[in-house]
Amino acid sequence: MNKILISVVGPTAIGKTKLAIILAQHYNTEIISADSRQFFKEMNIGTAVPSLEELSQAKHHFIQHKSITEEYTVGDFEREAIQKLSELFKVHDIVIMVGGSGLYVNAVTDGLNNFPTVDPSIREDLNTELADKGIEVLQNKLKLLDPTYFEKVDIFNPQRVIRALEVTIGSGTPYSSFLNKPKAEREFKVLSVGLKAERPLIYERINQRVDLMVKAGFLDEAKNLIEYKDYNALQTVGYKELFKYFNNEWTLEFAVSEIKKNTRRFAKRQLTWFLRNKDTIWVEYDYNPKTLLPEIDNDIVNLKHD
């Protein structure tokens, strides 16, 4: 148990990639991405994938390694990430994990919860309801049946909402009741480091990032993916708003404003998720690496002796 996984978490646009690279260089190690939006090679600008320069500064894994046409679940990621960590820990005592997808982070650090098997027809019915009536109907249903999970989940992600509803309806028990079960046994210890900032600053950074994405060609990227718009990978903030613009449902100005609004909501939910971990060490977004790195060195020493 002398192997350490440093998990860098926090809301979107806070600077997690930068900190992960600083840590990887400091410990001469590699990075595992736990950002589910960055797994897909066709999505680049809209998911804020690390730049080529950033990728060259430290070895990254699970960045654009799948196609949007492939089914890739959190269970698949857990299995592959644990296997990769097993390989990396043969060479390194410390590995970095970075990402804002709380469910994927927890899958690696704690293991997935065991959910009951439910009738597949329930999912089929929910998908039909989504197509016919839209996600708002499913959001309201989840809020009624499992208000606890409703407050945590990205309610704009239909895959997550449908998954929670199918388990809740199929088992007769709220999805949230299956969460927070005993942790899986891991052959490494976890040091969770979170980046924080005042909420207005986070929202300002998000607005700026969206504007930069548009300038960088996000519209062209999304337009090239229209034929795949029904795939799960594209049911995410940024792309779904632009698809409404391309379909003449919204103006471009309104679509961009909705991207900003929905990304801010997503960041709020990320914070809610990560704040549940009372062991996370929270660091100001404008930290000084010269003082932060010795502190993390010390935290690692303490963790090894726990």
Side-chain angles (χ1 to χ4, degrees), residues 152-168:
K152 301 174 182 177
V153 70
D154 175 7
I155 58 170
F156 297 99
N157 185 322
Q159 185 178 12
R160 302 275 174 83
V161 173
I162 287 174
R163 174 58 178 158
L165 282 172
E166 72 171 343
V167 170
T168 300

Side-chain angles (χ1 to χ4, degrees), residues 70-299:
E70 297 179 67
E71 185 71 23
Y72 191 63
T73 67
V74 64
D76 294 328
F77 173 71
E78 179 193 17
R79 184 178 61 258
E80 293 180 11
I82 293 300
Q83 175 60 40
K84 178 56 67 175
L85 282 172
S86 178
E87 297 171 9
L88 293 176
F89 279 133
K90 291 177 182 177
V91 183
H92 306 283
D93 288 335
I94 297 172
V95 177
I96 314 302
M97 181 170 69
V98 59
S101 302
L103 183 62
Y104 287 74
V105 171
N106 282 20
V108 174
T109 60
D110 303 334
L112 288 174
N113 298 279
N114 293 318
F115 294 101
T117 301
V118 297
D119 187 338
S121 66
I122 297 174
R123 171 174 282 267
E124 294 173 8
D125 291 343
L126 291 169
N127 278 318
T128 299
E129 193 169 4
L130 172 66
D132 293 344
K133 301 178 182 178
I135 194 171
E136 187 174 353
V137 171
L138 299 184
Q139 291 170 343
N140 291 334
K141 186 175 294 188
L142 181 61
K143 186 174 184 178
L144 176 66
L145 296 176
D146 192 349
T148 299
Y149 190 66
F150 178 85
E151 291 300 321
K152 301 174 182 177
V153 70
D154 175 7
I155 58 170
F156 297 99
N157 185 322
Q159 185 178 12
R160 302 275 174 83
V161 173
I162 287 174
R163 174 58 178 158
L165 282 172
E166 72 171 343
V167 170
T168 300
I169 294 170
S171 67
T173 305
Y175 182 85
S176 57
S177 68
F178 296 100
L179 302 175
N180 301 321
K181 299 297 184 183
K183 294 183 178 182
E185 291 295 326
R186 296 298 191 218
E187 296 182 351
F188 54 84
K189 292 185 176 181
V190 179
L191 179 67
S192 180
V193 179
L195 284 175
K196 65 178 181 177
E198 293 297 322
R199 196 155 292 184
L201 179 60
I202 295 173
Y203 292 169
E204 180 184 345
R205 290 171 68 94
I206 287 171
N207 293 340
Q208 291 173 351
R209 173 181 277 187
V210 172
D211 288 336
L212 289 173
M213 286 177 172
V214 173
K215 290 180 181 178
F218 187 21
L219 269 69
D220 289 336
E221 176 175 287
K223 196 168 188 177
N224 289 333
L225 295 175
I226 287 179
E227 63 180 298
Y228 306 105
K229 65 183 179 66
D230 293 326
Y231 282 87
N232 284 331
L234 288 167
Q235 307 303 310
T236 187
V237 176
Y239 296 90
K240 59 187 183 65
E241 291 87 355
L242 289 182
F243 291 150
K244 286 184 177 291
Y245 162 64
F246 296 137
N247 199 37
N248 295 317
E249 297 178 51
W250 290 351
T251 65
L252 177 58
E253 181 180 7
F254 184 72
V256 171
S257 70
E258 286 294 291
I259 293 173
K260 293 177 179 178
K261 181 184 76 175
N262 291 333
T263 305
R264 293 193 299 268
R265 287 178 172 175
F266 175 57
K268 183 178 179 181
R269 290 179 179 276
Q270 285 177 303
L271 283 168
T272 299
W273 180 288
F274 291 125
L275 285 170
R276 293 183 307 162
N277 183 356
K278 302 305 180 184
D279 294 327
T280 296
I281 300 165
W282 289 97
V283 176
E284 291 293 338
Y285 81 102
D286 57 351
Y287 58 87
N288 182 341
K290 291 183 178 180
T291 57
L292 176 61
L293 292 174
E295 292 174 4
I296 293 180
D297 287 340
N298 189 57
D299 291 328

